[in-house]
Amino acid sequence: MLVHRGIGVFNFCLSLSFLKVDSDFELPGTSKKNASEDVTPLLIEGPPGLIIVENLIDSVQDFLNGDRKGDAEKLTFLRCLSSLSQTLPYDETAESFIHDRIEQIVNALNMIIQQEPLHSLFTPTRQEVFTAITDLSSQEINLLFGSKEKLDLFRNLIRSMIALPSTKILNILQTVMPTGQYNTESLYRQTFQAFCEMLQSLVIQDPHLENLDQILEPWLQSAKDQERERAAASMAQMLRSLSRHVNLQPPLHFQNLGKLVALMSLLCGDPVEEVTQEAAEGTHHLLRITLRIKCLTYDKKSHQNFKGAVKKCKELLEIYNIRQFYSNPFKIAQVFEVFLSPNELSQYIITTLDGLKNPKHPCIQQSAGILLVTMVKCAETRFEKVSDIIRAICGRLPIIGQFIARQHAMNIVSLLISKPTYTDIVLDQLLLHPIPFDRHLAELWRTLDVDLPNTTWILWRLLRKLQKCHSMVEDKMAFMAVAATDALYEIFVGNKLQAATYRLFPQLLMTLLIQMHHSIGLTMSDVVFPSGMYIEEEVVITCTPLSFAIQATKALLLRTTCWFEFYTMEKKKGWNLLELESDHIQGVSLLANVLLEKHVVLAQRILYLLIPLLNRGNEKHRLTSAAFFVELLRSPLARRIPKRYTIVRLEEWLHHENYQFRVLSLKGIDNLLCYHQGMVREEIDGMIPAILSNLSEANERIVLLSISVLRNLLNTMDFTTLKNTMHALFSLFSDVRPKIHLLAVTLFGDSIKMVKSKDKKEIEGRILESLIPLLLHLQDEDDDVAKESSRVLSIICHFLKWKIPREVYHKDLWHGPLILGHVCFHKLKKISGDSCKI
């Protein structure tokens, strides 16, 4: 059914004018016979005589058993073996003899060919070896495939012909060392013809193409011109023979069609004209074979797609004439692309990459680069083994020296990573290299050249890989997290994805700050590396996950023109704060404050981003997000945020067991009171009991922030709350920490001013209790405490309507009895109601 449905397409393919077989086409060193005649042996007409067969068998056996194997014996053996092969259809004895001694014959041929010098050609021994193998092959006796010994023989046969010096050198050698027996030029031509006929016989013997792909691959990539020329000519003749072979039927396939197309395409751009001509002819036949194979084997489910591919091929071929087509290798890529499977496309790319390593021939490097870019652009999303392609590019970058060639290789990465289908695959492969990235990988990250619509997607996918790592246990870190952080740093330095960096600035900054928090205290020994990855000892000693995160954050600020923020962090040692577990939150707050000061728009974008992050991730994740969030509550945009995301969250943190959350809650409340007091006053009043309870905390920062919040709430407190506040503040008068003591005294004095006349009697007792501590602190060593105590004492006297001499407020100790006397007098007076004067 498959073949019947393909008849129309098959006939259409054969109708292409450029595929008509040229009966007058003649390969170098061959006659105008057709391909089947070229490799058909000369058979003996009729059964040979029994004596002749026995003599041939005896001669072959003598050589196999003998020790002396000179040139004459070798030639006799080879010619007898060739003649004996022609008797096989008529003589069972000869057939049995050959089949029973295949292994011996293979070893003998291997010995003969290895003894032939590679630097000269003086005898027809090589030619006779090739002829003998061709004759046996025509009788379906395989000497070159199926075992290690046969494959060794095959490799040695190829090497013995292809590796010969150039014909010019061979002629010079004949002049220097004349043998007088053979003409070197004629002998070379005949030997090479016999070699090509041997290869053609193998191709026809194996029409399913299972071995064709490997035959000459290493030599087609040789650095020596004469070796590439011979290999290209041999391949061209094999492909010509195969294209004219009438028995090509399914199952039929090239195992490595993509590789073969790449090799031939590269040779079409070779600097040696003879190589280019041979490669162009071979590519012509290869396209004919490929069309025929695809027409016979295409999937019936994709009938319309295949017809479209053939039509595209025809259109491309009509645009360019044959000569122009093969003189431009990138046009070959355009035509073959429509017929290559996803796996073959990967073969093509990986093979063409090897062309970039050829420093001897810059034109081959240039051709390889054009072929790569053309194929990737044409094939778009049809690749399957993308990870293999990226791995091959990364592995070859260190040995590609030419700048343009390196750019071509890196352009392939850019093209593949820009396809959403491949983005994650490419990123995963690039991130599987040791960190810090070497200069080649760093250059690749820095030079990613992607169309603007795709830049955000790529950066976002890299960012997501980093974010997913933040769910690991806190005492370990995923290698992917450090690698992704290093990749972000290289991208920021290269600045090729600048638009995406601005667009994703909020996510990038917060993710890197969270990565810093996770990295505090970890070394490279705490990183979970992929199995088999080796990290240099110097890296383990000098680098830490935290250092990667900090350098990436610095690069981000500089590339987004946040220069003021960068230098402020440098000047105020903000980076040092971020490195310490105890001070990390302060470092985050510092950065948030300065960002809000100079880049309000960026800060406001981060504010919206943070709302869903406040309740995600582990504690470090939430702490970093909360620290940035509370500082941004000073922004006017905070008015638009629903209270359930501000007040409710701050109240939860106020009761949190982690003191850092309580600190952040108090800072957030303080910011709301300072910048949006009218909106949130009623909701915050309900938090005052919890705030007052924090005054008894051992943590100095919590106490100071609580006092600051109470100061902002003072104006609207009712009498009961004010009374409780004064009581809590009075308990701090004995605190030995100067800052707390000073602020408590100050706020206590301000609280007295808030007491209304009707409530004076109820509060007098608490105020009188504060007199002695205040009087004692008039003598405090801290001048600020002494001055504030004096100020508050004046407020109390005014509140109580006492008149006390100015000496009471003097710091000198000899005024002490006078002070106490006045205080006792007013207290007694208050008790007795006496109105006498002192």
Side-chain angles (χ1 to χ4, degrees):
M1 181 67 178
L2 177 64
V3 175
H4 287 304
R5 291 196 63 177
I7 289 176
V9 179
F10 179 60
N11 291 335
F12 172 65
C13 296
L14 293 181
S15 69
L16 297 179
S17 60
F18 84 100
L19 292 175
K20 292 181 180 179
V21 177
D22 183 2
S23 60
D24 294 330
F25 186 79
E26 182 178 358
L27 290 172
T30 62
S31 65
K32 295 183 180 179
K33 298 182 292 181
N34 61 38
S36 60
E37 292 173 343
D38 285 347
V39 294
T40 303
L42 178 63
L43 298 178
I44 299 174
E45 295 183 2
L50 180 62
I51 296 177
I52 296 176
V53 173
E54 290 179 351
N55 289 339
L56 292 173
I57 290 175
D58 290 341
S59 296
V60 172
Q61 187 65 58
D62 288 344
F63 185 85
L64 295 176
N65 296 336
D67 295 329
R68 183 175 180 272
K69 296 181 172 66
D71 289 341
E73 288 82 1
K74 293 177 185 177
L75 291 173
T76 300
F77 163 71
L78 293 169
R79 287 164 181 166
C80 287
L81 184 63
S82 183
S83 298
L84 187 61
S85 68
Q86 300 183 45
T87 70
L88 298 185
Y90 310 103
D91 193 292
E92 293 183 0
T93 303
E95 183 179 10
S96 176
F97 175 82
I98 293 294
H99 282 288
D100 291 343
R101 289 163 179 78
I102 290 292
E103 184 176 350
Q104 285 182 282
I105 293 172
V106 168
N107 291 335
L109 293 175
N110 211 353
M111 178 270 296
I112 291 172
I113 207 67
Q114 286 183 4
Q115 290 180 353
E116 287 297 296
L118 291 175
H119 57 78
S120 61
L121 180 64
F122 293 141
T123 70
T125 304
R126 283 185 178 85
Q127 177 185 348
E128 295 297 341
V129 172
F130 301 147
T131 301
I133 292 175
T134 301
D135 291 340
L136 289 169
S137 178
S138 68
Q139 302 303 327
E140 297 184 356
I141 295 178
N142 173 24
L143 299 181
L144 301 182
F145 299 108
S147 68
K148 181 181 181 302
E149 291 75 15
K150 291 181 179 181
L151 289 174
D152 287 342
L153 172 59
F154 181 62
R155 281 192 291 267
N156 290 329
L157 288 169
I158 298 291
R159 183 166 177 263
S160 70
M161 186 70 240
I162 302 295
L164 282 173
S166 65
T167 53
K168 181 179 180 180
I169 294 177
L170 290 176
N171 289 331
I172 293 174
L173 287 174
Q174 186 183 31
T175 304
V176 176
M177 299 181 293
T179 60
Q181 197 169 4
Y182 301 99
N183 178 272
T184 298
E185 187 173 348
S186 176
L187 181 61
Y188 171 80
R189 185 169 57 253
Q190 294 171 8
T191 302
F192 187 69
Q193 178 63 31
F195 174 74
C196 290
E197 290 176 352
M198 178 191 73
L199 295 179
Q200 292 178 56
S201 70
L202 295 176
V203 169
I204 295 179
Q205 186 186 24
D206 178 29
H208 291 172
L209 316 179
E210 292 178 358
N211 299 304
L212 175 63
D213 311 51
Q214 326 168 22
I215 288 177
L216 293 168
E217 177 189 334
W219 303 101
L220 291 170
Q221 297 174 297
S222 173
K224 297 181 179 180
D225 295 344
Q226 72 273 10
E227 292 178 354
R228 292 198 313 283
E229 181 181 353
R230 289 174 189 142
S234 303
M235 181 61 77
Q237 290 203 39
M238 284 191 295
L239 292 170
R240 178 173 181 262
S241 175
L242 186 61
S243 70
R244 296 183 177 186
H245 188 42
V246 295
N247 294 324
L248 291 178
Q249 295 295 333
L252 194 63
H253 66 282
F254 281 104
Q255 286 187 335
N256 296 298
L257 177 60
K259 180 184 291 186
L260 188 55
V261 172
L263 291 171
M264 299 304 290
S265 301
L266 286 171
L267 291 176
C268 285
D270 198 275
V272 179
E273 184 178 357
E274 291 77 8
V275 175
T276 302
Q277 293 173 352
E278 298 289 357
E281 182 201 347
T283 307
H284 170 82
H285 295 302
L286 180 59
L287 181 56
R288 176 187 174 89
I289 297 165
T290 302
L291 271 171
R292 186 170 185 180
I293 292 173
K294 298 297 182 179
C295 288
L296 291 172
T297 60
Y298 80 98
D299 186 356
K300 61 182 180 181
K301 294 180 180 179
S302 57
H303 180 75
Q304 293 299 325
N305 292 338
F306 183 75
K307 286 187 67 175
V310 175
K311 182 179 179 181
K312 180 180 178 182
C313 174
K314 182 182 178 182
E315 290 172 352
L316 286 170
L317 291 170
E318 287 177 348
I319 295 173
Y320 314 109
N321 59 50
I322 299 299
R323 184 184 183 91
Q324 183 185 16
F325 177 77
Y326 291 117
S327 63
N328 294 277
F330 73 92
K331 297 185 179 73
I332 299 174
Q334 288 180 305
V335 174
F336 271 99
E337 177 271 323
V338 297
F339 298 109
L340 296 181
S341 68
N343 183 51
E344 290 165 348
L345 286 170
S346 298
Q347 294 173 4
Y348 178 95
I349 296 297
I350 293 174
T351 304
T352 309
L353 281 169
D354 290 331
L356 296 176
K357 301 186 299 182
N358 194 332
K360 184 178 179 181
H361 300 298
C363 60
I364 292 181
Q365 290 183 327
Q366 184 177 2
S367 295
I370 296 174
L371 288 168
L372 283 169
V373 174
T374 302
M375 184 62 79
V376 173
K377 286 183 177 179
C378 290
E380 293 186 333
T381 58
R382 294 203 303 115
F383 294 96
E384 282 184 353
K385 299 182 179 179
V386 175
S387 59
D388 291 345
I389 295 174
I390 300 302
R391 190 182 306 114
I393 292 174
C394 294
R396 287 162 174 76
L397 278 179
I399 52 179
I400 300 176
Q402 192 183 57
F403 174 76
I404 296 178
R406 292 174 62 82
Q407 287 298 115
H408 282 311
M410 290 186 285
N411 283 344
I412 299 305
V413 178
S414 298
L415 287 171
L416 290 174
I417 201 173
S418 64
K419 305 297 181 185
T421 309
Y422 303 141
T423 301
D424 282 340
I425 300 173
V426 176
L427 288 175
D428 288 340
Q429 193 59 49
L430 292 178
L431 294 174
L432 281 178
H433 289 79
I435 49 176
F437 298 122
D438 61 28
R439 62 185 182 89
H440 307 289
L441 263 296
E443 181 185 8
L444 197 157
W445 283 110
R446 295 181 185 188
T447 56
L448 282 178
D449 190 7
V450 184
D451 293 338
L452 185 60
N454 298 312
T455 55
T456 303
W457 167 251
I458 294 169
L459 201 56
W460 170 247
R461 294 309 303 161
L462 180 59
L463 191 61
R464 287 293 297 146
K465 292 183 183 299
L466 175 55
Q467 291 171 345
K468 289 179 181 179
C469 296
H470 292 160
S471 60
M472 281 195 66
V473 292
E474 295 188 6
D475 59 340
K476 291 291 182 181
M477 177 161 288
F479 169 78
M480 183 66 74
V482 188
T485 304
D486 196 20
L488 286 172
Y489 166 74
E490 299 297 348
I491 288 174
F492 297 153
V493 171
N495 210 25
K496 287 285 187 178
L497 308 185
Q498 187 180 43
T501 303
Y502 274 103
R503 191 172 294 118
L504 294 176
F505 177 82
Q507 294 90 336
L508 288 167
L509 181 60
M510 292 311 306
T511 302
L512 288 172
L513 289 174
I514 292 169
Q515 173 66 12
M516 280 189 212
H517 204 165
H518 279 274
S519 302
I520 293 173
L522 297 182
T523 66
M524 296 303 287
S525 301
D526 300 313
V527 177
V528 183
F529 289 96
S531 177
M533 179 177 289
Y534 171 75
I535 300 296
E536 295 181 3
E537 184 177 354
E538 182 182 354
V539 173
V540 176
I541 296 173
T542 59
C543 297
T544 64
L546 184 60
S547 64
F548 286 103
I550 288 179
Q551 75 171 3
T553 308
K554 290 180 176 180
L556 174 64
L557 293 178
L558 291 174
R559 285 308 186 196
T560 51
T561 65
C562 294
W563 302 311
F564 180 77
E565 290 84 342
F566 176 84
Y567 292 118
T568 300
M569 292 291 288
E570 292 280 342
K571 183 178 180 180
K572 297 187 176 181
K573 301 188 182 303
W575 307 116
N576 295 340
L577 294 174
L578 290 170
E579 292 177 353
L580 301 174
E581 183 70 44
S582 58
D583 297 329
H584 178 77
I585 299 304
Q586 294 183 51
V588 173
S589 298
L590 174 62
L591 181 56
N593 274 312
V594 69
L595 185 70
L596 183 61
E597 179 183 347
K598 288 296 180 179
H599 285 87
V600 178
V601 175
L602 289 178
Q604 290 176 343
R605 288 172 58 199
I606 294 176
L607 180 60
Y608 276 124
L609 168 71
L610 288 172
I611 293 173
L613 296 180
L614 296 176
N615 206 32
R616 290 183 187 174
N618 58 24
E619 194 167 271
K620 289 185 175 181
H621 188 293
R622 296 195 302 273
L623 271 173
T624 302
S625 301
F628 219 101
F629 177 76
V630 298
E631 297 300 333
L632 298 184
L633 289 177
R634 297 186 294 116
S635 166
L637 198 65
R639 295 174 179 269
R640 302 181 187 178
I641 302 175
K643 294 179 181 179
R644 65 179 181 275
Y645 297 127
T646 53
I647 302 301
V648 175
R649 191 75 66 205
L650 294 174
E651 188 171 8
E652 289 177 2
W653 295 342
L654 194 58
H655 298 89
H656 203 285
E657 59 183 7
N658 187 331
Y659 82 92
Q660 290 181 305
F661 277 106
R662 297 200 297 277
V663 168
L664 294 175
S665 174
L666 291 166
K667 287 188 69 177
I669 294 170
D670 202 33
N671 285 334
L672 287 176
L673 290 171
C674 289
Y675 296 92
H676 317 289
Q677 189 177 54
M679 294 179 56
V680 298
R681 189 55 182 263
E682 293 181 5
E683 290 81 0
I684 294 178
D685 283 344
M687 302 183 198
I688 291 179
I691 297 171
L692 291 174
S693 66
N694 278 315
L695 292 177
S696 60
E697 281 283 342
N699 186 280
E700 181 177 8
R701 198 165 179 216
I702 290 180
V703 177
L704 293 174
L705 284 169
S706 299
I707 294 174
S708 178
V709 171
L710 291 171
R711 179 187 296 109
N712 289 322
L713 289 168
L714 201 59
N715 291 332
T716 58
M717 285 183 183
D718 57 33
F719 177 70
T720 302
T721 304
L722 185 62
K723 183 178 178 181
N724 293 335
T725 301
M726 294 178 67
H727 176 75
L729 291 171
F730 177 71
S731 65
L732 296 176
F733 280 17
S734 60
D735 199 300
V736 296
R737 293 168 290 188
K739 285 185 179 179
I740 293 177
H741 182 93
L742 178 62
L743 291 177
V745 170
T746 301
L747 187 57
F748 186 83
D750 294 339
S751 301
I752 296 173
K753 294 179 180 179
M754 295 295 109
V755 179
K756 296 179 181 179
S757 300
K758 64 178 182 178
D759 300 319
K760 282 187 176 182
K761 289 188 177 293
E762 193 172 343
I763 202 70
E764 275 187 1
R766 175 62 60 195
I767 294 176
L768 288 173
E769 290 179 8
S770 68
L771 286 173
I772 300 301
L774 289 171
L775 288 170
L776 293 175
H777 280 292
L778 289 174
Q779 313 299 323
D780 200 283
E781 295 179 356
D782 189 321
D783 289 340
D784 292 333
V785 172
K787 289 180 182 179
E788 192 61 26
S789 298
S790 176
R791 186 185 74 84
V792 174
L793 195 57
S794 297
I795 293 172
I796 292 174
C797 290
H798 178 75
F799 177 81
L800 296 174
K801 297 182 179 179
W802 289 0
K803 293 182 179 179
I804 298 179
R806 294 181 60 184
E807 289 84 353
V808 171
Y809 305 104
H810 204 283
K811 193 174 180 179
D812 292 339
L813 291 177
W814 52 79
H815 293 291
L818 179 62
I819 295 169
L820 290 176
H822 278 82
V823 171
C824 292
F825 168 78
H826 282 287
K827 279 192 174 184
L828 290 172
K829 179 181 177 182
K830 195 70 178 176
I831 295 171
S832 62
D834 189 0
S835 61
C836 65
K837 295 184 179 179
I838 198 165

